[in-house]
Structure formats: structure tokens, C-alpha cells
Amino acid sequence: MGKNVESVVTELAEPIVASYDLELVDVEYNKEGPDWILRVFVDNIDGVSLDDCQQVSRDLSEQLDLNDPIEQSYLLEVSSPGIDRPLKTKQDFERFSGELVEISTYAPVNGEKELTGKLLGLEEENVKISLDGEELSIPLSKIAKTKLAVEF
């Protein structure tokens, strides 16, 4: 198989998720203990219901059975990304502008690899955040992961 499992599942899942007016946030395929777990995260501005997840799971399961892109047995989980939702696309960075985010970088930025600040948006290929009153611009290529921060 030329493409990795996550890419193939993303291609199969996108039209299914869109048909329910949902957004495909992420696809993860990991080994946990003796089991392989295929997790598909869906979201909507108004939130995601259990029915939404069940419908996507049923339809995606049918497509996975038809296309059979995964060699070993696995468990399929479809759920909401949760309150610490990852930001992956340019649209995510625009939509969640003004929110508190946690950014993990591959190499230190201002001496840190973990940064928490207010998301100011995306400018060209740079994520802009406000960190302790200072505006910081971080190239997307240096970011390992960005997610919404959980505020208590």
C-alpha cells in the first residue's frame, strides 16, 4: 500500500463526515497494547452528538469493509476531539483566533518548546500568538502540535 492508513482513511472519511455537516478534525491509527485503534475525530460549531458519531462510524465502517485498506484487525472509534481540540488546518487557526492555545515546537522558540498564548491567527505560513503581552510569530514548519488550551 503506497499511502499510510491515516491518509487512506482520511480520503474515505471526508465525504462521509461532510454528508452529516460535520468537520473531519483528525485521524489517528495507533497500537495500544495488543490492539490497533483507528480513531476518527469529528466536530461541528454546534457540537457533536452521539448520533453523529454513530452515523459516521456506521458509514465509515461500511467503506472500510469495501475498500479493506487496513491489513490487521483494529477497533474503530469515532468521537469529538474534546475541549483540547488539535488545530491542524489554516481554517482552524482562523476559526479559533482569540482562543488560548498550547503549541509544541520541534526546536526551542524563545528558549521554550512548549508555549501557551492567545492565538492571533495565521499570517502567511506563521502562527501568531500573544505571549505575556508580546506578539510572537512561529513558522508552521517548526510546530509539532497546536491544540486549544483547557482553561479552568
Side-chain angles (χ1 to χ4, degrees):
M1 182 166 75
K3 295 182 180 179
N4 72 27
V5 168
E6 292 165 346
S7 296
V8 172
V9 173
T10 296
E11 287 178 19
L12 292 172
E14 281 179 332
I16 293 167
V17 171
S19 74
Y20 292 106
D21 291 325
L22 299 170
E23 169 193 3
L24 181 64
V25 175
D26 203 4
V27 173
E28 296 176 352
Y29 184 63
N30 297 307
K31 188 164 179 64
E32 294 182 11
D35 299 318
W36 281 93
I37 311 288
L38 176 61
R39 286 192 178 91
V40 176
F41 297 97
V42 297
D43 203 2
N44 182 299
I45 290 176
D46 299 323
V48 177
S49 71
L50 183 57
D51 280 347
D52 292 332
C53 293
Q54 288 173 333
Q55 290 172 323
V56 169
S57 179
R58 181 192 64 238
D59 292 358
L60 181 56
S61 187
E62 286 176 13
Q63 283 301 307
L64 290 167
D65 288 346
L66 284 172
N67 291 278
D68 201 21
I70 303 173
E71 292 177 16
Q72 60 270 51
S73 63
Y74 59 92
L75 302 170
L76 173 63
E77 295 179 3
V78 177
S79 69
S80 159
I83 57 175
D84 61 344
R85 180 192 201 280
L87 306 185
K88 297 210 164 217
T89 65
K90 290 182 180 187
Q91 291 85 358
D92 288 344
F93 288 100
E94 292 165 6
R95 174 176 163 194
F96 293 102
S97 184
E99 299 289 331
L100 192 65
V101 294
E102 294 175 6
I103 298 176
S104 300
T105 58
Y106 294 114
V109 173
N110 282 7
E112 301 287 332
K113 287 179 74 175
E114 303 288 329
L115 306 159
T116 301
K118 181 179 176 183
L119 179 62
L120 301 175
L122 193 64
E123 193 173 282
E124 294 175 11
E125 293 296 310
N126 297 298
V127 175
K128 298 187 108 18
I129 63 169
S130 174
L131 186 65
D132 300 325
E134 271 186 61
E135 192 173 297
L136 189 60
S137 183
I138 307 165
L140 277 173
S141 61
K142 291 189 176 187
I143 296 176
K145 184 161 107 177
T146 303
K147 65 181 184 175
L148 292 176
V150 180
E151 297 182 75
F152 294 100

